[in-house]
Amino acid sequence: MILRGAALAAGLLIAAPALADTHIDNIEGISVMRDGSIDRFAGMVVDENGRISELLDFGDDPTREIDYRVDGEGRVVVPGFVDGHLHLMGIGLGTLVLDLSETNSLDEALSRIAAYAAAYPDRPWIIGRGWNQERWGLGRFPTAAELDEVVSDRPVWLERVDGHAGWGNTLALEAGNVDAATTDPSGGRIERIAGSREPSGVLVDAAMGMVDDAVPPPLPEDRDIALYNAQRLLLRHGVTAVSDMGTSVEDWMTFRRAGDAGRLQLRIMSYADSVDSMLLIGGPAPTQWLYEDRLRLNGVKLYLDGALGSRGALLQEDYADDHGNRGLPLLSGTQLRNLMSRAALDNFQPAIHAIGDAANAEALAAIEELSRDYDGDRRWRIEHAQIVDPADLPRFGEHGIIASMQPVHQTSDMFMAEARLGEDRLGGAYAWRSILEAGGALAFGTDAPVEPVDPLAGLAVAVSRTNADGEPAGGWRAQEAISRELALAAYTAGAAYAGFAEGRFGRLAEGERADFVMLSADPLTVDPDEIRDIEVLETWIAGQRVYDIELEQR
């Protein structure tokens, strides 16, 4: 489908233990606990297995004989960022196809599509992602006819930035057998030309599968290259561990090939794309930790609704800008409970995608019901939790619920959310502080490739509620901002805890893996508007340096 040949650069991502006691000295170390409490230190000792054996205060010497000393040159050191929600292979495969995420108008996108098609005349399909009609200011979805004007000799299929809609030309719709007689599938919607049943070119949520199934799949070697690219990108941004949401069997085997070959450096907490995949990969229970704490199947990702951008998020009332539409239920309440129960039966962890207030209410109700049948430490997860009825916020403090949220969604979506719901229905929107005050737990992530891989941008949003341009002044619903310490905790220890990884990684503490990042400034002390400008200088995993900005810039 994408690339053929293109051998991996073997040796660039070889993971190996430290094999010696190493003293990392002369640093401004910061470790953060889940509650936001901070421990500062000046050095650490990493043992031969890549674990921290000692944290040292200023002036302290190691209590054991040291083989190597690394001068940290006074740099700020924080735990490696743990991205609590992203799509790892989506990031990687996105590097191999047409990227429209930075386009600012329909005309710009069409020009880029035409140039891409001309550059790759032998590709049977033009595949891409990242378009966003809201960013374009289009006021509508794009159409197949507009795509036909630039590419009409082969199918074109382009995924929306949030992954919840696809835009195709006429040949792509024909390949998926989508025509005027095609009915909307359960949980999906075929956008139609006004006044007719003719498909306009955009398929939403479950309807996407009709064309997706016709697209030639990536080859195994494409997947290997994609994982390599994704790891390089994440390490460059200081991300050392991720929760991969929606792992297919093919994804899992890609991770296993990398682990077997010594090319897997990231730590991956995996959530299968279906119960069937979960059982095929894990069998009777979540897998063991593999490759020295680098890979584990934790549970399953369940989609309850769509997204705001495509008006698929499930709402309690009509969309303010689309009367008669309350979104798309991708699962019924009964289906959700059955799938959650099947996962919980064998101690798999369900992670429920819920964006709209009706979806979040349904997820909370299901968790309450299942908690009566399944005791123990379940760590029920709700992914996104973007729009919550204020009356439901206290429910996050019950049953150990984890709100797995992505701060940059707030700044990307804030003005769209106002249009979609109206100001009076945003009392529980992106409500980080309220969820914490209710006793809920936070795990932060980026949802890449929906948003860029940039945890520091997420930290900046979490404490300011403003975008990179400082808008809106004073912050959007600023009462929901949280402290820097709590934000850093949600991007490290909190996200690790959400994936049952506490004690293994996520903190800089004795006995945990020495996964850390050297930064150009202290995110806990610089001005909030300077957090985005902090550079990742080095990234270390298990006491081994895996990224160095100086080497990258040579």
Side-chain angles (χ1 to χ4, degrees):
M1 164 189 155
I2 302 166
L3 293 179
R4 301 176 191 273
L8 295 177
L12 289 181
L13 285 177
I14 298 299
L19 300 179
D21 288 329
T22 303
H23 179 200
I24 300 169
D25 193 17
N26 187 23
I27 58 176
E28 294 185 24
I30 301 171
S31 189
V32 58
M33 308 301 117
R34 285 180 53 223
D35 63 2
S37 59
I38 297 294
D39 180 25
R40 291 185 178 268
F41 55 94
M44 57 183 161
V45 177
V46 180
D47 69 18
E48 61 184 7
N49 295 311
R51 290 188 173 88
I52 298 170
S53 60
E54 292 184 77
L55 293 181
L56 305 172
D57 291 329
F58 181 77
D60 289 351
D61 293 321
T63 61
R64 59 201 294 178
E65 185 175 341
I66 297 300
D67 298 293
Y68 298 102
R69 177 182 177 274
V70 175
D71 183 359
E73 301 177 351
R75 291 172 168 176
V76 174
V77 170
V78 300
F81 296 114
V82 181
D83 194 310
H85 180 117
L86 54 62
H87 308 278
L88 186 55
M89 293 305 295
I91 296 170
L93 290 170
T95 67
L96 306 181
V97 299
L98 172 61
D99 182 8
L100 298 174
S101 60
E102 296 302 315
T103 56
N104 293 307
S105 70
L106 174 61
D107 286 344
E108 182 184 350
L110 291 173
S111 176
R112 190 168 298 186
I113 294 163
Y116 188 88
Y120 297 100
D122 296 329
R123 292 191 180 178
W125 283 66
I126 299 300
I127 304 298
R129 63 163 308 279
W131 61 272
N132 185 349
Q133 83 282 4
E134 297 295 328
R135 177 170 178 160
W136 296 345
L138 196 59
R140 61 173 174 82
F141 281 127
T143 67
E146 287 161 334
L147 273 181
D148 289 341
E149 291 179 1
V150 294
V151 183
S152 60
D153 63 335
R154 53 199 144 145
V156 180
W157 183 236
L158 308 166
E159 187 179 273
R160 192 181 185 276
V161 64
D162 59 10
H164 286 270
W167 172 29
N169 67 355
T170 297
L171 290 178
L173 297 178
E174 290 177 355
N177 296 313
V178 180
D179 56 29
T182 308
T183 58
D184 290 355
S186 176
R189 183 173 67 246
I190 301 170
E191 294 293 323
R192 312 278 179 174
I193 296 173
S196 79
R197 286 193 50 80
E198 290 295 328
S200 65
V202 168
L203 309 181
V204 180
D205 285 314
M208 296 170 63
M210 292 184 282
V211 174
D212 284 338
D213 290 345
V215 177
L219 298 172
E221 51 264 43
D222 295 328
R223 291 182 173 277
D224 292 340
I225 295 166
L227 178 58
Y228 173 83
N229 290 347
Q231 288 194 96
R232 285 180 59 86
L233 179 61
L234 289 158
L235 295 174
R236 188 161 67 241
H237 285 87
V239 176
T240 57
V242 303
S243 287
D244 183 51
M245 289 294 163
T247 306
S248 68
V249 174
E250 293 84 357
D251 295 342
W252 179 262
M253 295 311 300
T254 304
F255 304 157
R256 290 299 305 263
R257 285 196 298 274
D260 291 344
R263 296 194 306 266
L264 185 62
Q265 289 196 317
L266 283 174
R267 305 192 188 280
I268 304 172
M269 298 167 284
S270 173
Y271 294 81
D273 63 357
S274 67
V275 167
D276 287 345
S277 295
M278 176 192 80
L279 296 174
L280 187 58
I281 295 168
T287 67
Q288 300 296 312
W289 283 96
L290 305 171
Y291 311 117
E292 299 182 335
D293 293 341
R294 282 183 167 82
L295 180 62
R296 181 181 190 250
L297 177 76
N298 282 357
V300 62
K301 169 79 176 295
L302 303 173
Y303 281 92
L304 194 47
D305 67 345
L308 280 176
S310 49
R311 295 186 183 87
L314 196 60
L315 302 182
Q316 294 174 337
E317 301 176 20
D318 290 356
Y319 278 85
D321 58 357
D322 188 11
H323 294 293
N325 179 15
R326 295 193 177 188
L328 290 170
L330 303 186
L331 294 171
S332 69
T334 299
Q335 289 171 321
L336 174 66
R337 286 158 178 78
N338 287 342
L339 294 171
M340 290 173 64
S341 181
R342 181 61 190 89
L345 182 67
D346 288 327
N347 292 308
F348 291 101
Q349 182 188 21
I352 309 165
H353 167 113
I355 289 182
D357 52 9
N360 277 284
E362 188 68 59
L364 289 163
I367 289 170
E368 289 171 359
E369 292 176 26
L370 267 70
S371 292
R372 294 194 289 266
D373 297 324
Y374 298 98
D375 56 9
D377 186 7
R378 293 292 172 171
R379 302 188 197 177
W380 310 100
R381 296 179 60 132
I382 297 181
E383 305 301 314
H384 308 305
Q386 288 180 205
I387 309 295
V388 180
D389 187 325
D392 287 331
L393 287 170
R395 301 165 76 182
F396 278 87
E398 303 170 5
H399 311 298
I401 296 173
I402 294 164
S404 171
M405 304 180 75
Q406 300 75 46
V408 178
H409 280 335
Q410 179 248 299
T411 48
S412 295
D413 295 353
M414 55 189 174
F415 302 126
M416 178 180 65
E418 291 174 355
R420 294 286 190 267
L421 283 86
E423 178 63 29
D424 60 342
R425 293 163 60 189
L426 295 173
Y430 313 87
W432 312 316
R433 179 179 291 276
S434 292
I435 288 173
L436 284 176
E437 289 178 346
L442 286 182
F444 277 167
T446 62
D447 202 12
V450 176
E451 301 282 1
V453 174
D454 191 352
L456 287 161
L459 285 175
V461 173
V463 304
S464 70
R465 306 279 290 193
T466 61
N467 62 21
D469 296 323
E471 299 172 338
W476 190 80
R477 308 192 65 81
Q479 71 273 14
E480 292 295 347
I482 60 176
S483 71
R484 303 160 188 253
E485 292 81 3
L486 287 169
L488 183 59
Y491 262 117
T492 55
Y497 173 84
F500 287 93
E502 75 279 10
R504 297 176 185 272
F505 53 85
R507 301 180 305 158
L508 296 179
E510 293 181 5
E512 296 203 17
R513 297 287 185 179
D515 301 349
F516 58 89
V517 181
M518 291 185 175
L519 302 176
S520 63
D522 185 344
L524 302 183
T525 61
V526 300
D527 290 339
D529 58 1
E530 295 177 351
I531 294 176
R532 285 184 177 84
D533 298 327
I534 295 174
E535 289 187 304
V536 173
L537 304 177
E538 295 183 8
T539 303
W540 293 60
I541 295 180
Q544 293 286 287
R545 183 167 50 205
V546 293
Y547 168 76
D548 185 332
I549 192 172
E550 294 183 358
L551 294 178
E552 288 279 320
Q553 293 177 345
R554 288 179 185 172

